[in-house]
Amino acid sequence: MSMMGSNAQARRAQFNRESILSATPARLLTMLYDRLLLDLNRAQAAQLNQDWQVASENLLHAQAIVSELSTSLNVEAWDGAEGLFAIYVYVQNALMSANAHRDVARTVECIGLLEPLRQTWHEAAEQLPAQSMGARIGGELGYA
């Protein structure tokens, strides 16, 4: 890799770190969902190409994100939180199965379950007023 290429990568990594550190809780949640779906789509493509190493790496990263989402969810914050938690548990198990059995259908199933949630979280985040977003996020979206 050229020196220019590594400088560009370093700048991009710094920008990404700064974006995460300055993000509101709602933005962090949507960023997690965006990355989760990116991982799952990459895993699906790798599974279809029988690139099991890449598929496994993406599925494991997706599992880590689902784990973070489920542990940070406050199930007492709103009526639907327990149902969302159940979806996370189901998806976590499905992702383990998709990885262990090289099962693209399970990966596709998880994408089908999570993509509508990603869209919903984006819509919810856009509805929150910017000034009070940090203070309201725990009660409004149910995440600590």
Side-chain angles (χ1 to χ4, degrees):
M1 175 173 288
S2 71
M3 185 66 153
M4 258 175 89
S6 77
N7 284 339
Q9 277 188 319
R11 284 193 304 272
R12 187 170 35 252
Q14 179 64 27
F15 175 77
N16 288 340
R17 278 191 296 276
E18 289 172 5
S19 295
I20 291 168
L21 291 173
S22 65
T24 63
R27 179 70 183 125
L28 285 173
L29 181 61
T30 59
M31 290 169 78
L32 278 173
Y33 264 92
D34 289 345
R35 180 55 197 254
L36 175 56
L37 270 299
L38 177 65
D39 288 341
L40 292 176
N41 284 301
R42 286 178 175 170
Q44 178 188 6
Q47 286 173 315
L48 292 171
N49 290 323
Q50 297 184 356
D51 187 345
W52 306 118
Q53 178 66 31
V54 170
S56 181
E57 289 169 5
N58 282 281
L59 289 169
L60 289 172
H61 194 257
Q63 288 174 49
I65 292 172
V66 172
S67 179
E68 180 62 31
L69 289 168
S70 65
T71 58
S72 63
L73 179 64
N74 179 355
V75 294
E76 296 178 15
W78 51 285
D79 291 340
E82 286 186 20
L84 182 58
F85 184 79
I87 290 171
Y88 290 155
V89 170
Y90 180 83
V91 166
Q92 188 77 298
N93 290 326
L95 291 175
M96 287 187 279
S97 178
N99 201 4
H101 301 291
R102 299 179 172 178
D103 186 351
V104 69
R106 297 301 302 265
T107 303
V108 170
E109 177 187 22
C110 292
I111 292 169
L113 288 169
L114 295 170
E115 179 57 33
L117 291 173
R118 185 189 75 81
Q119 293 173 7
T120 300
W121 285 123
H122 273 277
E123 291 168 10
E126 290 170 9
Q127 299 295 321
L128 293 174
Q131 299 91 343
S132 61
M133 195 174 306
R136 295 173 52 195
I137 195 74
E140 298 274 336
L141 296 182
Y143 280 89

